[in-house]
Every structure is written in C-alpha cells, then in structure tokens.
Amino acid sequence: VLISFLGLSHGKASAQDVKTDSLPSNITTHVDKTIIPSDSIIAAKDTLAQLTISEINEKKSREAMEDIFLLTAYMEGFSSRVYSCGVRSTVGYGSTWIKLGQRVPRRMKPISQEQGKEFFLRHMEEQVLPFLKYINKELSKEQLIAVCSYMYNSGGGGLTGYTLSGRQFKEPSAFLQAINGGEDDYTCAMHMLESHVSGRKVAWGLFKRRWVE
C-alpha cells in the first residue's frame, strides 16, 4: 500500500482510498479485513506499553516490511544486472550493498528477483532499522514506511548524521530535526522533500520519490 508520510494522520487517505490502477502489473496490493478480537488488541497494547519508542518504531517497521518493499519495487524497478547509479554500482531493487561491508561490485553474475529481495531485506536489517533509535517520536505505520524508504535511498547517516558505530559526522537532517522537534506532519513532509539534489542539481527521480514517500 503506497501512502505518503502524511498518511492517515490527517484523515486524508485510507488503505481503501489508494488507487492501484497506476501500479505496474507485477505489483499487487491488499487490504486485510481480518477482525481482531478485542482481547488480542488489549494484549498488543499492553505489550507496546512495555517497549521504548525506538523498539515500537522498529516493531512497526518490521511488520510493514512488505509494504516498504512494494514501495521500493515501485520506485526502483528491478535490474538483474549491475548498473551505475551515480558513483555506486547498483543491482536488484536499487541495492548498492550485498551485505554489510560488501558493496555491489562493478561486475557480477545476473541475479534473480528472489536474490534482489534478499539484498533489500538484508540492507534494511543491517543499515536502516538500526538508525530508528535516533527518532524520539512514535510514528505511524505509514510514516515509518516513508522514513525507512528515505533511509534505504539516502542512508541512515543521511537522515541522522550518525554512522552505524554511533559516531556523529554531521548535524541531523532538517527532516529528522522536524520529527524530533514535534513539528506537524505537513512541516516534516516538506523537510523530507528538500532531499532531492544530486551533484548540486535537482534530480527529478529523487524529487518524484520524495513526493511518493
């Protein structure tokens, strides 16, 4: 389900409102209409109450991982062969890493869609989810889909200003500062849109991606 950072918080959209006729034929959406017993909801709320904000955001992100993947597949497409994207070699669904510490080489055998998804999931696990600890506000599922997509594309360090080891190398992005500063959703989304420049030029692909997010 492709919903922006503004998502459901303003009542502007719901999963049922999302039009899917513009999606590629190989991308499907689905609305889960399962009725959850009230006691299960209470138990889930009790469990969440015992978690930190960081843990809650990570839990929600894991639960939304398939939606994050659908958004990535929609924006990136799939390439079985390595291609150059800026200064990085890229393959699959926009992956520049095979695993932590191993960049996609300039030459490698063509990969399958299953391998491409494996690269995506490993990247999310190793280089996106760890950076959620720098967000001090509980986000909705839709907002986390947008934030995780942003970090998959721009790097966790691009959002937070920190390396995986915890070393700060720059100020947090204006986007993260807006989230942690308690700005309204619209203001946060506008700061996210600022990240669409590559090589001092407007990258229209990035601009489109930011609007979708």
Side-chain angles (χ1 to χ4, degrees):
V1 181
L2 307 183
I3 305 179
S4 73
F5 183 87
L6 296 175
L8 307 179
S9 58
H10 289 298
K12 292 183 178 179
S14 68
Q16 290 86 348
D17 293 331
V18 177
K19 296 181 179 180
T20 61
D21 53 359
S22 62
L23 296 180
S25 59
N26 64 327
I27 301 295
T28 59
T29 60
H30 147 138
V31 177
D32 188 355
K33 298 182 179 179
T34 303
I35 298 177
I36 303 175
S38 58
D39 55 344
S40 297
I41 295 175
I42 293 173
K45 287 184 176 179
D46 289 341
T47 299
L48 287 176
Q50 299 173 16
L51 301 177
T52 65
I53 290 177
S54 173
E55 291 170 335
I56 291 173
N57 284 336
E58 182 175 335
K59 182 176 186 296
K60 286 183 178 180
S61 297
R62 291 183 185 281
E63 292 171 350
M65 194 58 66
E66 189 64 22
D67 289 332
I68 300 171
F69 172 70
L70 284 175
L71 174 58
T72 301
Y74 175 70
M75 294 305 301
E76 298 280 356
F78 173 78
S79 175
S80 63
R81 298 180 181 276
V82 175
Y83 64 95
S84 177
C85 183
V87 297
R88 304 295 184 193
S89 295
T90 308
V91 75
Y93 298 99
S95 295
T96 56
W97 296 87
I98 292 178
K99 61 181 179 180
L100 187 61
Q102 184 179 352
R103 287 276 188 187
V104 172
R106 292 183 179 180
R107 296 181 180 179
M108 63 182 294
K109 293 180 179 180
I111 66 170
S112 65
Q113 290 186 336
E114 289 74 18
Q115 287 175 304
K117 188 172 184 178
E118 287 177 12
F119 290 174
F120 164 83
L121 293 174
R122 187 178 296 125
H123 184 100
M124 293 296 300
E125 183 70 33
E126 297 177 342
Q127 301 190 59
V128 172
L129 296 184
F131 287 95
L132 291 175
K133 65 184 177 183
Y134 295 104
I135 299 175
N136 62 22
K137 173 184 176 181
E138 183 180 343
L139 301 181
S140 69
K141 170 188 171 182
E142 292 73 30
Q143 290 170 337
L144 285 165
I145 291 172
V147 169
C148 287
S149 173
Y150 180 100
M151 287 196 283
Y152 180 79
N153 175 246
S154 300
L159 176 73
T160 67
Y162 285 84
T163 64
L164 271 173
S165 62
R167 178 180 62 83
Q168 185 174 11
F169 64 94
K170 69 170 188 173
E171 287 296 311
S173 66
F175 179 31
L176 180 60
Q177 291 185 50
I179 294 174
N180 288 344
E183 297 285 355
D184 62 89
D185 293 348
Y186 180 83
T187 299
C188 293
M190 290 303 99
H191 279 299
M192 179 170 61
L193 283 175
E194 294 171 2
S195 178
H196 61 262
V197 176
S198 179
R200 298 184 180 181
K201 295 182 180 179
V202 173
W204 293 108
L206 278 179
F207 191 75
K208 176 184 176 183
R209 186 188 185 107
R210 293 290 95 91
W211 269 105
V212 173
E213 292 167 345

